[in-house]
Amino acid sequence: MVLVTGGAGYIGSHTCISLIDAGYEIVVFDNFSNSSHEGIKRVEKIVGKKIALVEGDIRNRKDLQSVFDTYNIDSVVHFAGLKAVGESMQIPLQYYDNNVCGTVALCEVMQKNGCKKIVFSSSATVYGDPETVPIKEDFPLSATNPYGRNKLFIEKILRDVHRSDPTWKVIMLRYFNPAGAHISGTIGEDPDNIPNNLLPFIAQTAVGKREMLNIFGNDYDTPDGTGVRDYIHVVDLADGHVKALDKIDNFKEVMAINLGSGDGYSVFEIIHAFEKASGKQIPYNIVARRSGDIATCYADTAYAEDILGWSAKYNIDKMCEDVWRWQSKNPDGYN
Ligand code: NAD
Ligand code: WQD
């Protein structure tokens, strides 16, 4: 059975569907700090069966042990974590505690129970401000904020765990910019407060919840001056996790693998794609650059194709259509 930490969240819930579709048995472990039971109910509707669910915190070894006592867990897909870059600068200790200490606790309990396979949610943020694009996995790593340092530390911790006991199987998937929603329009990204990320903000503007989009700078060294990113459909990402679990036994070394589309799109290109998908106009303002933002970021995807046999299927139009279906059917998210 696969333990999915953070399985009630945005990427986790989509991955649960793909894992079940691929024939994996799963149990979700989540403290619902950034998700809702409603999301899990909707996943159950999509897959047509009940999902084993344990409510608990990855920092709590007792909570975790109870999962290993109840279920026969042989691998873990580890999504659980806090993920807001700006917030991580305000409350860094909570980020280190939740994300880094939480992962240490998880690995300890895994080891104690003889479960040594983990697929970890890393991020393209570990590349900092890269000198060139597309970004390859062997580029230098750095971080500009506590959230990024969490990911870097966790990657290093997982490498140390593997060094101490090479029977561990570790895959670190470095996501670029996750976007999109399930085709049903019943699950998707549901930010609690004002969205930090571009697509949820655009979607809330289109549905009338936000007045206008602030574009953070149009003076970058990019074709139209706005930031360029590699948006990757969440269902493609979910499929990447299935491929990672399918192949994890083949790898002797710790694997760090980019999950991106390999294409870069500017903020203006995303706005236009969303306007086309939704039929709505997105009013915008150009404002100052957001501190910490970089000009351009997109993945070299050759390694993922070669190692996992995985590549993105869905383009930016499909991402916008799916986000719009989710947002327009659920203007208040899961509430
Ligand atoms: P999310 O917030 O929707 O999901 C994370 C889930 O983990 C939530 O359900 C939350 O309740 C749970 N959680 C948090 N702390 C926990 C704890 N201590 N114990 C148990 N459960 C806990 O976020 P997401 O977008 O689905 O991201 C999933 C993972 O992918 C995170 O690790 C994130 O850092 C990483 N990631 C996300 C992005 C992105 O832009 N969405 C990009 C790169 C990497
Ligand atoms: C995309 C582009 C903004 C919002 C972040 C994290 C990263 C990863 C993914 C977790 C940029 C511009 C955005 C807005 C805007 N998360 N923008 N107005 O910053 O590439 O990555 O999420 O691992 O670590 O840093 O994504 O969606 O915030 O921004 O103009 O209201 O849209 O400047 O060019 P980012 P994003």
Side-chain angles (χ1 to χ4, degrees), residues 178-244:
H182 188 260
I183 177 95
S184 62
T186 58
I187 63 166
E189 193 169 6
D190 181 21
D192 246 357
N193 301 307
I194 301 174
N196 300 304
N197 294 115
L198 181 63
L199 264 157
F201 200 104
I202 291 181
Q204 291 196 4
T205 309
V207 86
K209 289 185 76 174
R210 310 269 158 218
E211 231 171 272
M212 66 171 72
L213 170 73
N214 285 325
I215 297 182
F216 300 138
N218 64 350
D219 56 353
Y220 284 103
D221 184 16
T222 59
D224 65 22
T226 64
V228 168
R229 296 291 183 275
D230 183 336
Y231 298 90
I232 175 77
H233 198 297
V234 64
V235 173
D236 277 328
L237 271 189
D239 177 47
H241 292 75
V242 174
K243 295 263 167 36

Side-chain angles (χ1 to χ4, degrees), residues 81-289:
L82 302 173
K83 62 160 181 179
V85 172
E87 188 184 61
S88 80
M89 297 194 266
Q90 259 119 48
I91 48 168
L93 294 175
Q94 287 179 45
Y95 270 67
Y96 288 115
D97 183 41
N98 195 80
N99 297 354
V100 180
C101 299
T103 302
V104 170
L106 173 67
C107 290
E108 254 180 50
V109 176
M110 286 175 68
Q111 184 137 44
K112 200 170 136 208
N113 291 275
C115 169
K116 299 184 191 173
K117 294 182 205 175
I118 186 166
V119 176
F120 169 62
S121 300
S122 191
S123 166
T125 193
V126 298
Y127 298 114
D129 191 353
E131 265 176 34
T132 55
V133 282
I135 299 171
K136 286 182 197 287
E137 285 82 353
D138 60 2
F139 274 25
L141 304 180
S142 69
T144 52
N145 56 66
Y147 171 76
R149 265 184 290 282
N150 280 187
K151 292 295 181 199
L152 270 184
F153 290 163
I154 295 169
E155 285 205 358
K156 285 184 199 299
I157 289 167
L158 292 174
R159 286 187 191 279
D160 284 339
V161 169
H162 179 269
R163 212 169 282 130
S164 73
D165 176 355
T167 62
W168 273 77
K169 304 282 180 190
V170 178
I171 301 184
M172 310 185 296
L173 298 175
R174 294 178 179 156
Y175 317 151
F176 279 66
N177 288 59
H182 188 260
I183 177 95
S184 62
T186 58
I187 63 166
E189 193 169 6
D190 181 21
D192 246 357
N193 301 307
I194 301 174
N196 300 304
N197 294 115
L198 181 63
L199 264 157
F201 200 104
I202 291 181
Q204 291 196 4
T205 309
V207 86
K209 289 185 76 174
R210 310 269 158 218
E211 231 171 272
M212 66 171 72
L213 170 73
N214 285 325
I215 297 182
F216 300 138
N218 64 350
D219 56 353
Y220 284 103
D221 184 16
T222 59
D224 65 22
T226 64
V228 168
R229 296 291 183 275
D230 183 336
Y231 298 90
I232 175 77
H233 198 297
V234 64
V235 173
D236 277 328
L237 271 189
D239 177 47
H241 292 75
V242 174
K243 295 263 167 36
L245 269 190
D246 287 348
K247 304 243 155 117
I248 198 164
D249 285 328
N250 300 347
F251 306 124
K252 284 209 173 90
E253 301 305 322
V254 172
M255 306 300 287
I257 305 173
N258 288 343
L259 293 187
S261 72
D263 297 317
Y265 290 93
S266 73
V267 176
F268 279 125
E269 286 176 308
I270 298 296
I271 293 175
H272 294 146
F274 203 91
E275 287 181 338
K276 194 169 83 183
S278 64
K280 303 276 179 190
Q281 255 218 307
I282 309 297
Y284 63 82
N285 249 333
I286 308 285
V287 301
R289 290 181 181 194

